[in-house]
Each structure stands twice: as C-alpha cells, then as structure tokens.
Amino acid sequence: MSLNRKYIPIVVTILLFLLMFTAGSFRYTGFFSLQVLMNLLIDNAFLLITAVGMSFVILSGGIDLSVGSIIALSTMVSASLVQQHGWSPAVVIPLVLLMGAAFGCGMGAIIHYFKIQPFIVTLAGMFMARGLCYVISIDTITIDNPFYASVAQTKIALPGGSFISISAIIALIITALAIFIAHYTRFGRNVYALGGSEQSSLLMGLPVARTKVLVYTLSGLCSALAGIVFTFYMLSGYGLHAVGFELDTIAAVVIGGTLLTGGVGYVLGTFFGVLIQGVIQTIISFEGTLSSWWTKIVIGLLLFVFILLQRVLSANRSSLKQ
C-alpha cells in the first residue's frame, strides 16, 4: 500500500524529529531522558501556541507577520496593568486575550473587505503593535506579582523525577483543541477549502468572509495567549520581546509540512516542526562549542529542503492531473 502524497511532508517531519532526537541520544550523555523531552515543550510553549494559530492562517492561504509584535504588546500590557496599576491577573489575562483577538479580527476584516494582501496588512499590524509597546514604556517592566511568580515556578511532577510546567500544559491543550477544530469541525473544513481555492469556496457557498476573519482572529488570540505564557516565562514586559519571532513561527509551520500556498497541512506537523527547532537548540546546547546562530543556519537549510519537497510534490500532483 503506497503512502498518500499529502501525508509525505508530515511523515518526513516526524521521522526527522525522531532521527535528530536519536542522534542526540547516542552522542550526548543524559540526552535520552523524559526531562529533555519535557524541556522541549517548556522552552517552546509560546512558540507552539503561536504556530498553532499561524497554521490556520497559512492553511487558509494567508500569512500573519504581526504575531511577534502582538506577543510583545501582550507582555507590555500585562506588565503595565499588573505591576504599575495594580490590576488583578483575573482581569488582565482575559483583557489581553480579547485585545489579541480584536487585533487579529481587525486585520482579517481589512484583508477580506478591502481586498488587500495579507502580507501588507499584517506588516502594518506588526509595526503598529510594536509601536504601541513603546507608547506604554521604552523600558523593561519587571513583574513580581505572586500569581505570575507562582505560575512561573510551579513544576508538575512526572514519573522518573521529571517535571512539566503549566505553560507547557497550556500549549499541549491548545494543540489538541486545534487538531480537533481543524479536522472535526465545519470551520476547519472551511479553512482547508479556502486555502485550496477561494473562488471554488465562494461557488460552493461557503462562508468565505467569516472564515477568513475568524482565521486571523484565532491567530491574534493565540499570539496574545503566547504573550501571556511568555510573560510567565520571562516575568517581564518589554517592547523588544519576540523580535523576529514571526519568522520562527512560519518556519515551524512550513517544516511541519504545511503548504505555504494553503490547503494542505496538519497541526500535528506544526507540533513536530516546533519540536525540531527545540531539539536543534538542545543539541547545540549539549555540544557547548557551537554558536547559537547555528540554530538559524540549520532551520534555514531545513526550510529549503521542505520548500523543495513541497514543490516536487505539487509538480507531481499537477502532472498526474494532466
């Protein structure tokens, strides 16, 4: 039984992760452990949450360059309200989530109703959100609120003496919800249809406008949630948090096997795309003699490989249709 072509990228992604983790396990003492695996999730929880939102955007045939700036803005708003104005986290966290969703919704509405390229609209959103950070403060705002400190320091025990953080659990829950939404709801099917062909979706009577706006709303919501998780991780708000983070997020989605033109891909692939980035960083950390910039070099090479793989599969699919 031959493997369906659309599954090839995600299978390659999963095999690549297993290969890299196995190679690290053979090369470095202490690499093969549950805690190293958990650390991949703990250190990349905010990337995973952002990449989940980005997956829906790219599946729909769009792009969102504002995610890193929304994360930074979320940290600044959280830190400012909690630390400087004494607001309760119970009020601040829902407010930040609402802000992120509203920001994404606004961009989605502009993209659809004014027929402007997502690249331009989200680029403008990126500059706007980053600029708003500096309106709040040009300095780092450190958070010493007991709730934030407690969440940051809480370690949930696992078998074998290992542990996982609350942020990592949030990321796993979001990933599971996203997989369900993508594959078992009408909205998920509409996203795939929209990414396949917007014109065909319109002819089939699908709610294109609502789907497109909801996709960017979801991305904004995930970015704001990632910002909250990032605040737990850093215990601070700063306008330069998550600079260039949108590129790491897009890389994780593409390495996860999602087609940049939309319509093909899986949230599970994105999950492994994030883990691959994490395992590269971990291997470099264990090596000890390599610069952290090697992470970017390896990710760049992987991006080239996956884009070429997508191109070859697309070309073969087109030739088969002819």
Side-chain angles (χ1 to χ4, degrees):
M1 186 175 67
S2 62
L3 182 67
N4 192 317
R5 287 180 183 275
K6 68 179 181 179
Y7 298 129
I8 291 176
I10 188 174
V11 169
V12 171
T13 301
I14 294 170
L15 289 176
L16 180 62
F17 168 72
L18 293 173
L19 179 66
M20 293 175 81
F21 194 81
T22 304
S25 301
F26 278 112
R27 182 169 173 80
Y28 308 109
T29 305
F31 192 97
F32 186 74
S33 69
L34 181 60
Q35 190 54 57
V36 168
L37 203 56
M38 290 301 102
N39 286 344
L40 295 180
L41 292 170
I42 292 167
D43 295 337
N44 295 284
F46 48 91
L47 174 59
L48 179 55
I49 294 167
T50 316
V52 162
M54 183 70 80
S55 296
F56 283 91
V57 173
I58 294 178
L59 280 170
S60 72
I63 200 81
D64 188 352
L65 299 179
S66 70
V67 293
S69 298
I70 292 176
I71 288 172
L73 182 59
S74 298
T75 69
M76 286 300 286
V77 170
S78 298
S80 174
L81 293 178
V82 170
Q83 196 67 26
Q84 296 181 336
H85 296 89
W87 286 31
S88 166
V91 176
V92 172
I93 290 172
L95 185 66
V96 168
L97 292 175
L98 186 63
M99 177 197 73
F103 205 96
C105 181
M107 289 190 298
I110 292 169
I111 288 165
H112 180 75
Y113 292 108
F114 291 91
K115 309 295 181 191
I116 303 174
Q117 286 294 323
F119 181 91
I120 299 299
V121 175
T122 58
L123 182 66
M126 179 181 81
F127 286 126
M128 183 179 171
R130 190 70 68 177
L132 286 170
C133 291
Y134 295 106
V135 170
I136 296 168
S137 175
I138 60 171
D139 301 314
T140 304
I141 304 173
T142 305
I143 298 174
D144 59 15
N145 180 276
F147 173 77
Y148 280 81
S150 173
V151 172
Q153 294 164 10
T154 298
K155 295 177 179 179
I156 298 162
L158 295 173
S162 55
F163 65 88
I164 193 169
S165 68
I166 291 174
S167 296
I169 289 174
I170 292 170
L172 288 172
I173 291 169
I174 293 300
T175 305
L177 280 172
I179 291 170
F180 175 79
I181 290 168
H183 302 294
Y184 300 100
T185 68
R186 185 176 296 172
F187 170 70
R189 290 191 290 273
N190 290 344
V191 169
Y192 277 96
L194 180 61
S197 171
E198 184 172 337
Q199 195 59 40
S200 297
S201 298
L202 284 167
L203 291 172
M204 287 190 291
L206 297 179
V208 169
R210 186 174 66 195
T211 303
K212 195 177 287 189
V213 172
L214 278 175
V215 157
Y216 286 93
T217 304
L218 180 62
S219 180
L221 179 65
C222 285
S223 299
L225 180 58
I228 291 165
V229 167
F230 197 76
T231 310
F232 295 147
Y233 190 75
M234 300 294 290
L235 287 177
S236 68
Y238 187 35
L240 286 177
H241 277 333
V243 169
F245 196 70
E246 52 282 338
L247 303 181
D248 291 330
T249 307
I250 293 167
V253 176
V254 174
I255 291 170
T258 299
L259 202 63
L260 269 172
T261 50
V264 177
Y266 300 91
V267 175
L268 183 63
T270 298
F271 174 77
F272 281 98
V274 170
L275 291 187
I276 284 171
Q277 290 200 30
V279 95
I280 292 168
Q281 293 164 354
T282 306
I283 287 171
I284 288 169
S285 174
F286 268 82
E287 187 66 35
T289 57
L290 294 174
S291 164
S292 60
W293 286 106
W294 276 99
T295 305
K296 302 293 184 186
I297 294 167
V298 175
I299 289 168
L301 288 170
L302 287 176
L303 267 175
F304 276 124
V305 169
F306 275 87
I307 288 167
L308 287 171
L309 177 63
Q310 289 179 358
R311 182 65 181 168
V312 168
L313 291 173
S314 297
N316 288 342
R317 196 179 293 118
S318 299
S319 63
L320 284 172
K321 285 179 180 177
Q322 290 172 0

